[in-house]
Amino acid sequence: MTCCEGCTSCNGFSLLALLLFGVVLNAIPLIVNRVEEGRFFQNPISCFEWWFPGIVGAGLLVVPATTASLGARKRACFNNKTGMFFSSLLSVLTVLGAMYCIVVSMQALSQGPLICSSPGNSNSSCEFAFDKLRITNESFDLQWFSNESCVLPSGLNPPTMNNTTANGRKPYGLHFRDKETKHKTIHLSVFSGLLIVGILELLFGVSQIIIGFLGCLCGVSKRRSQIV
C-alpha cells in the first residue's frame, strides 16, 4: 500500500465521521424546535440552522468526495489512478461545503440565538440572503452568551429569588430566563461544533486534493492478482 492510498483511506473515514456529526449537530435545534412548538419553523432557536450548514455544507457536499476516497483506498473497487483523480476533483466540493459551514457557523455565533434579538424569538426577522453572511471582528465577541441575560421580555422586571406568585409558582420572567439559557447553550454548542467540523473538513478536503493528485501522477500499488 502506498502512502497516498493510506492517507486516502484515512481521509475517507474521517470525512464520513465528520459529515455524520455535522448532520446530527444541525438536526439538534430543529428537533428541539419541533418538540417545543409542535411544528417546524415556529419560533426557532435561530435562523441559521435553517441555512443547513451541517446538513448541506458539511453533509451532502462532502458525500461525493467521501465516496470517492473510500473507493480509491487499498483493495477497494476504484483503487487506481482514475479513482485518485476523482477523489481529488470531488474534494473541491468538500472544500466549498466546509467553507459554507464555517461562514454560517461564525455568523450564527456572532449574532446569537433569536431570543436575544427578536421578542418571542420570532422567525419574522430571518432573512435568507447570501449578502447577509458577513463576519466582522467587532461583532464576534460572544457577549450574548457571557452576559447573564441578553434580553428581557418587554414590560417585565428582572426576576429575583423571592419574586414568586401567591401559589408558589415561578413568574414568567424566571421561566423566560430558563428558556433563554437553554437556547443560548444549544446555539453555542451546535454552532461551535459545526465550526470545528467545517474547519476539519476543510483541512481533510485540501489534503485529499493534494494526495489524490499525487496518487494520480505516481499510481497505486499493484494488486496481488496482478503480480506474476
Side-chain angles (χ1 to χ4, degrees), residues 106-211:
M106 291 184 65
Q107 184 75 6
L109 290 173
S110 68
Q111 293 192 13
L114 275 174
I115 203 168
C116 291
S117 57
S118 176
N121 56 306
S122 172
N123 54 31
S124 59
S125 60
C126 294
E127 298 183 32
F128 299 99
F130 285 104
D131 59 351
K132 301 297 180 181
L133 296 177
R134 295 189 301 270
I135 304 298
T136 58
N137 294 330
E138 292 78 7
S139 63
F140 197 77
D141 53 14
L142 297 181
Q143 285 191 0
W144 57 267
F145 185 79
S146 58
N147 292 339
E148 182 179 357
S149 178
C150 57
V151 70
L152 286 173
S154 58
L156 291 178
N157 295 323
T160 61
M161 293 299 295
N162 297 323
N163 188 15
T164 57
T165 58
N167 58 6
R169 294 182 179 179
K170 296 179 181 180
Y172 174 75
L174 191 55
H175 169 71
F176 180 89
R177 181 68 59 82
D178 294 338
K179 181 179 180 181
E180 176 191 338
T181 302
K182 180 173 70 172
H183 282 205
K184 287 164 60 176
T185 302
I186 292 175
H187 187 82
L188 180 68
S189 302
V190 166
F191 287 103
S192 295
L194 286 175
L195 179 61
I196 295 173
V197 168
I199 292 173
L200 291 176
E201 286 187 346
L202 178 63
L203 295 176
F204 282 118
V206 172
S207 171
Q208 187 55 39
I209 291 175
I210 299 173
I211 292 170

Side-chain angles (χ1 to χ4, degrees), residues 41-85:
F41 211 62
Q42 181 69 29
N43 296 335
I45 294 179
S46 79
C47 304
F48 294 101
E49 59 260 27
W50 293 97
W51 284 81
F52 300 121
I55 295 176
V56 176
L60 292 178
L61 290 178
V62 183
V63 170
T66 303
T67 305
S69 297
L70 293 176
R73 74 186 193 279
K74 179 65 175 178
R75 290 189 296 274
C77 59
F78 216 28
N79 179 230
N80 49 44
K81 288 186 177 182
T82 304
M84 284 292 182
F85 172 75

